[in-house]
Amino acid sequence: MGPVQGIDVDDRVPLRSPGPSELLGAVRAAVRRLTAGAPSSGLGWGHAEREDVIAGLDGAIQALTLYRGQLLVAHKEDGRWGTALDRDFADWRGRASGTGRGPAVGELQVAEGLHAMPEVADAVAGGELTLEHARALTRLRATGSAEVKAALEGGAAADLVAKGKRLSAPGWPGRRRSSRPRSMRRPPRTASRRCGGAGR
């Protein structure tokens, strides 16, 4: 069968790629198919299969949380958000999501911390660290001294990533001074003590 006459196809015109809203619609449709077609209980589930699905959902939720954080940072930097009632971006996010200011502050802390520490973001995206690891390290960046923040953004985070791959999030980064990279350790203090009764 030869080519169809009367139809001129221009190969130079690229096909339109779906936009963000269309892609999100496909994700939502996939979620509906999963939840409707595979109820959480009932027949058809094997023990191993359920564990595989749970692990797969953990990975999907982690990937989507990272992506949402990237969007939040970009939206904050864009500056076109909120109303006169919003004091800052956390106010807007808490109101828009319905979760309130506290959770929004924590969410933004993780998003901005991962943006500033790409080594950590890459490790979470690759499944080497969990979001709980990310929360622990970005909290350290947000609440630590200027010296700690500079060290983390200057490469010390890579050392903690290596340690975090071997530890669960609750024990990392450890509180013990020796568990931190050398670039984040404070020099030892030298205390001078006066000897009472000197010269007696």
Side-chain angles (χ1 to χ4, degrees):
M1 181 177 178
V4 178
Q5 300 298 322
I7 299 180
D8 186 14
V9 178
D10 189 350
D11 294 334
R12 295 171 299 176
V13 179
L15 296 175
R16 186 182 69 85
S17 299
S21 296
E22 292 177 82
L23 293 171
L24 178 59
V27 173
R28 286 175 167 169
V31 171
R32 286 194 297 269
R33 288 197 302 272
L34 174 63
T35 55
S40 58
S41 61
L43 299 177
W45 282 105
H47 178 76
E49 184 178 30
R50 184 182 285 110
E51 289 190 350
D52 287 343
V53 172
I54 290 172
L57 287 172
D58 288 342
I61 291 169
Q62 182 155 298
L64 289 172
T65 302
L66 285 175
Y67 179 61
R68 183 184 61 188
Q70 294 166 3
L71 290 177
L72 286 173
V73 171
H75 198 54
K76 180 184 178 182
E77 293 177 349
D78 179 70
R80 292 174 292 180
W81 45 263
T83 68
L85 299 177
D86 298 317
R87 292 173 293 173
D88 53 18
F89 187 77
D91 262 11
W92 170 82
R93 174 59 180 162
R95 179 174 56 81
S97 65
T99 60
R101 179 176 176 83
V105 169
E107 183 182 61
L108 188 61
Q109 176 179 291
V110 174
E112 291 183 325
L114 292 177
H115 182 72
M117 298 181 291
E119 307 96 329
V120 182
D122 290 344
V124 176
E128 297 170 304
L129 296 181
T130 67
L131 281 172
E132 290 306 314
H133 287 100
R135 290 187 181 101
L137 191 48
T138 54
R139 183 167 56 247
L140 176 62
R141 172 185 173 271
T143 59
S145 65
E147 178 187 14
V148 169
K149 182 176 180 179
L152 287 170
E153 295 180 4
D159 294 335
L160 288 175
V161 166
K163 293 178 182 294
K165 293 176 183 178
R166 303 188 299 270
L167 298 172
S168 61
W172 175 92
R175 292 185 177 181
R176 295 178 304 168
R177 180 173 170 270
S178 60
S179 67
R180 295 185 176 183
R182 290 184 180 276
S183 56
M184 293 175 58
R185 299 180 192 173
R186 294 182 178 178
R189 294 180 179 178
T190 56
S192 58
R193 303 174 64 182
R194 294 181 180 178
C195 298
R200 288 180 183 176

